[in-house]
Amino acid sequence: MKKNKTILAIAISMIAISPFLIFKASFILGLLILVTGILAIVACKKESKKLILIPSIVTISIILILCYNILICLILTFIGIKCTLINLNICNIIVIGCFSSILLKNKKIQKYYFKIFDLIYYILLLFLVIFIGYKQYGNPFNIKYGITDGSTHYHFAQQFSENQTLLYNGATDDVLMIYNSGFRLPGAYVNEGILFRVFDKILHPVDIFIIFDLFVLYMSGILFYYLLKTYAKENKKIQCLAVIFSIMYMLGYQLNSMLMGYVYLSLALDIIICFMLLMSNYKKQEINLKIALPTLSLVSFGIFFSYAY
């Protein structure tokens, strides 16, 4: 047990220092350490029953990270601190330190499972999204949106990346508008701006912007499929219908949002589905209140700062 705790502590430390190693030393070395640390934490015991690996860990975790980035950047902006990579990493280390005591109490290895049918669907969905990206943006990527709204949101992301603070518009006295449109819907541009700085020497910002759009589209297909399976019985007919309706959903509003440059709306819908999945898990007592309350609060916060109303 002592050995397991030591390994987990090292893994947490790896994740904490990996951003510095990635961007200040060796990109490949830092990336390997980050992946190793994440895999070690994934192995920690969370539930007595087996968990579905891809939807339950990967997709929901990514959505929570995106919402967490919005929250941290908002807090830093309010207290007058720049949202630099160093400051964000310091916040990450503090958060990891707060939760490390909980993680270190785990004594067993979490068991996961995945179904071949689901894995095939995820792979085919990935190829479909890649094909859509190639047909729409070409290779190399060329900006091609249906309207000029995409350029506006790219400009927001670029401004955040350069100024390292939220883009506050103080022209309104409406409290709700200040916290939503007043910050120009930071849900998408905060995460895009962070990626701009992270991959500054590797990819052009336009490429990152388009890849983020495609990634949000891909996530929508996975999350909606997982949502349908959560509320449906397990059989081949239902699985096939879930695939069909998930692709229809992804190729409907979500694809239209991407083509028009409304990525913040697509991201908001992904967060809403994540909220529904977490609420379902809580109602089924698959997660306790100590986990449900902060995660549901975080995704609610993400929705508030991502969707226009």
Side-chain angles (χ1 to χ4, degrees), residues 148-167:
T148 58
D149 198 69
S151 63
T152 302
H153 295 291
Y154 172 79
H155 178 63
F156 289 165
Q158 195 171 40
Q159 276 191 315
F160 173 77
S161 178
E162 294 173 355
N163 300 329
Q164 301 174 0
T165 186
L166 294 185
L167 312 178

Side-chain angles (χ1 to χ4, degrees), residues 122-139 141 214-215 217-218 250:
Y122 299 141
I123 294 173
L124 292 177
L125 190 69
L126 177 61
F127 280 112
L128 177 59
V129 171
I130 292 174
F131 175 76
I132 292 173
Y134 176 76
K135 293 296 291 184
Q136 176 67 16
Y137 304 110
N139 184 25
F141 288 143
L214 293 171
F215 177 74
L217 181 67
Y218 179 62
M250 190 188 76

Side-chain angles (χ1 to χ4, degrees), residues 67 70-72 74 296-306:
C67 295
I70 303 169
L71 175 62
I72 292 299
L74 183 68
L296 287 171
S297 299
L298 187 60
V299 295
S300 298
F301 182 88
I303 295 170
F304 189 78
F305 281 91
S306 299

Side-chain angles (χ1 to χ4, degrees), residues 93-129:
I93 293 173
I94 294 173
V95 171
I96 289 172
C98 293
F99 288 99
S100 60
S101 59
I102 300 174
L103 292 173
L104 291 174
K105 292 180 181 179
N106 292 331
K107 302 177 182 179
K108 299 179 181 179
I109 300 298
Q110 178 66 55
K111 295 181 180 179
Y112 296 92
Y113 74 94
F114 66 88
K115 296 185 177 180
I116 299 298
F117 185 90
D118 295 346
L119 187 60
I120 293 174
Y121 167 71
Y122 299 141
I123 294 173
L124 292 177
L125 190 69
L126 177 61
F127 280 112
L128 177 59
V129 171

Side-chain angles (χ1 to χ4, degrees), residues 38-194:
I38 291 175
L39 290 177
I41 288 184
V42 166
C44 294
K45 189 74 172 180
K46 302 171 187 66
E47 297 288 343
S48 57
K49 68 173 188 177
K50 292 183 178 180
L51 298 177
I52 304 176
L53 180 59
I54 296 179
S56 64
I57 297 300
V58 180
T59 53
I60 293 179
S61 296
I62 291 173
I63 294 297
L64 290 174
I65 290 171
L66 296 178
C67 295
Y68 164 80
N69 287 338
I70 303 169
L71 175 62
I72 292 299
C73 290
L74 183 68
I75 293 174
L76 292 178
T77 298
F78 271 157
I79 60 180
I81 298 177
K82 293 287 187 178
C83 302
T84 64
L85 288 179
I86 293 178
N87 291 337
L88 292 175
N89 285 328
I90 292 173
C91 294
N92 293 340
I93 293 173
I94 294 173
V95 171
I96 289 172
C98 293
F99 288 99
S100 60
S101 59
I102 300 174
L103 292 173
L104 291 174
K105 292 180 181 179
N106 292 331
K107 302 177 182 179
K108 299 179 181 179
I109 300 298
Q110 178 66 55
K111 295 181 180 179
Y112 296 92
Y113 74 94
F114 66 88
K115 296 185 177 180
I116 299 298
F117 185 90
D118 295 346
L119 187 60
I120 293 174
Y121 167 71
Y122 299 141
I123 294 173
L124 292 177
L125 190 69
L126 177 61
F127 280 112
L128 177 59
V129 171
I130 292 174
F131 175 76
I132 292 173
Y134 176 76
K135 293 296 291 184
Q136 176 67 16
Y137 304 110
N139 184 25
F141 288 143
N142 292 310
I143 298 178
K144 193 194 307 182
Y145 290 100
I147 58 177
T148 58
D149 198 69
S151 63
T152 302
H153 295 291
Y154 172 79
H155 178 63
F156 289 165
Q158 195 171 40
Q159 276 191 315
F160 173 77
S161 178
E162 294 173 355
N163 300 329
Q164 301 174 0
T165 186
L166 294 185
L167 312 178
Y168 176 63
N169 177 16
T172 177
D173 294 327
D174 190 311
V175 174
L176 291 179
M177 292 298 288
I178 289 175
Y179 281 93
N180 190 283
S181 298
F183 283 117
R184 303 185 186 277
L185 298 170
Y189 78 68
V190 160
N191 289 286
E192 291 166 338
I194 292 174

Side-chain angles (χ1 to χ4, degrees), residues 2-3 36 63 66-67 78 99 102 115 124 129 149 155 169 174 193 197 209 211 228 245 255 266 268 276-277 283 293:
K2 184 176 181 181
K3 182 178 179 181
T36 303
I63 294 297
L66 296 178
C67 295
F78 271 157
F99 288 99
I102 300 174
K115 296 185 177 180
L124 292 177
V129 171
D149 198 69
H155 178 63
N169 177 16
D174 190 311
R197 296 189 64 81
F209 186 79
I211 291 172
L228 292 180
F245 284 113
L255 178 60
S266 299
M276 296 171 67
L277 291 171
K283 287 184 176 180
L293 186 59

